[in-house]
Amino acid sequence: GQNIDQPTEMTATEGAIVQINCTYQTSGFNGLFWYQQHAGEAPTFLSYNVLDGLEEKGRFSSFLSRSKGYSYLLLKELQMKDSASYLCAVMDSNYQLIWGAGTKLIIKP
Amino acid sequence: GAVVSQHPSWVICKSGTSVKIECRSLDFQATTMFWYRQFPKQSLMLMATSNEGSKATYEQGVEKDKFLINHASLTLSTLTVTSAHPEDSSFYICSAREEDRATEAFFGQGTRLTVV
């Protein structure tokens, strides 16, 4: 079967750095996405990785290792507004998105 | 990025009535649209995939006669929840994909449905 695993909840301090991990087992691979979702809102796109390595975009970076079925989202200089759920999703061979359950990130002052 | 508009943002309806949710791609042609349902503190659950001009493909366990999907044009898909029940109360989200950008999907704002 297809499976996406990510931690349920993480806590970090304002100004610090946090890494959210995601491991996956899917039928084929056409890229891995990270989305941010605030409570009661639709997800917003953060990053897309299809090749191994690190993609940096401002305070957010995303890493992919296809051989390990592993990705992480790195958030630097955390701000209170970063408190949200972070969803990892993999696009399979049929171009369908397989979603993880999301990681709720709590930022403390 | 491309814009997907979903309407209404929230709706309250009585049990037994039907509710229609619209999903529009504003600045691109959406060859494929996806409808998701999300219960509190859970991830998105794909309900169905629709391609313009053809019947929607429903995920296992989703009643096609209850959740009617119409994708009549390249910019509009609708989801109608028929004979709604309180257990249908959920957050419904659409996303749209452009044919030439097969690896990107853009989300609507979501619709909070409450059935009383």
Side-chain angles (χ1 to χ4, degrees), chain B residues 20-25 28-35 48-58 67-80 94-99:
Chain B
K20 180 185 284 188
I21 302 170
E22 292 187 350
C23 182
R24 294 181 183 271
S25 57
F28 68 100
Q29 293 187 325
T31 50
T32 307
M33 286 191 173
F34 305 88
W35 287 96
T49 302
S50 72
N51 293 292
E52 184 265 337
S54 61
K55 289 184 179 180
T57 302
Y58 289 81
F67 298 99
L68 302 179
I69 292 172
N70 184 284
H71 192 167
S73 78
L74 286 171
T75 58
L76 174 65
S77 176
T78 60
L79 167 67
T80 302
C94 73
S95 73
R97 194 164 72 196
E98 188 176 17
E99 184 172 12

Side-chain angles (χ1 to χ4, degrees), chain A residues 23-63:
Chain A
T23 57
Y24 63 89
Q25 291 177 306
T26 57
S27 302
F29 181 82
N30 278 302
L32 185 144
F33 297 77
W34 283 97
Y35 284 85
Q36 181 191 61
Q37 186 178 26
H38 285 100
E41 299 179 12
T44 55
F45 171 80
L46 289 178
S47 67
Y48 170 67
N49 295 67
V50 68
L51 299 176
D52 290 350
L54 186 69
E55 295 276 346
E56 297 187 74
K57 191 184 295 185
R59 294 190 298 115
F60 293 4
S61 302
S62 57
F63 171 83

Side-chain angles (χ1 to χ4, degrees), chain B residues 2-116:
Chain B
V3 178
V4 175
S5 176
Q6 187 173 340
H7 177 81
S9 298
W10 60 270
V11 59
I12 301 173
C13 71
K14 292 184 178 180
S15 288
T17 62
S18 295
V19 174
K20 180 185 284 188
I21 302 170
E22 292 187 350
C23 182
R24 294 181 183 271
S25 57
L26 298 185
D27 53 1
F28 68 100
Q29 293 187 325
T31 50
T32 307
M33 286 191 173
F34 305 88
W35 287 96
Y36 294 89
R37 180 168 52 184
Q38 186 178 35
F39 292 106
K41 299 183 180 181
Q42 296 186 24
S43 190
L44 285 76
M45 297 287 292
L46 180 65
M47 299 175 67
T49 302
S50 72
N51 293 292
E52 184 265 337
S54 61
K55 289 184 179 180
T57 302
Y58 289 81
E59 295 298 301
Q60 193 172 8
V62 178
E63 299 174 58
K64 63 180 181 180
D65 294 330
K66 179 172 181 62
F67 298 99
L68 302 179
I69 292 172
N70 184 284
H71 192 167
S73 78
L74 286 171
T75 58
L76 174 65
S77 176
T78 60
L79 167 67
T80 302
V81 183
T82 62
S83 187
H85 291 282
E87 55 264 32
D88 297 326
S89 298
S90 186
F91 192 48
Y92 292 87
I93 308 172
C94 73
S95 73
R97 194 164 72 196
E98 188 176 17
E99 184 172 12
D100 293 337
R101 303 169 76 176
T103 55
E104 288 191 72
F106 304 97
F107 284 87
Q109 304 95 316
T111 298
R112 173 73 59 194
L113 170 64
T114 302
V115 184
V116 297

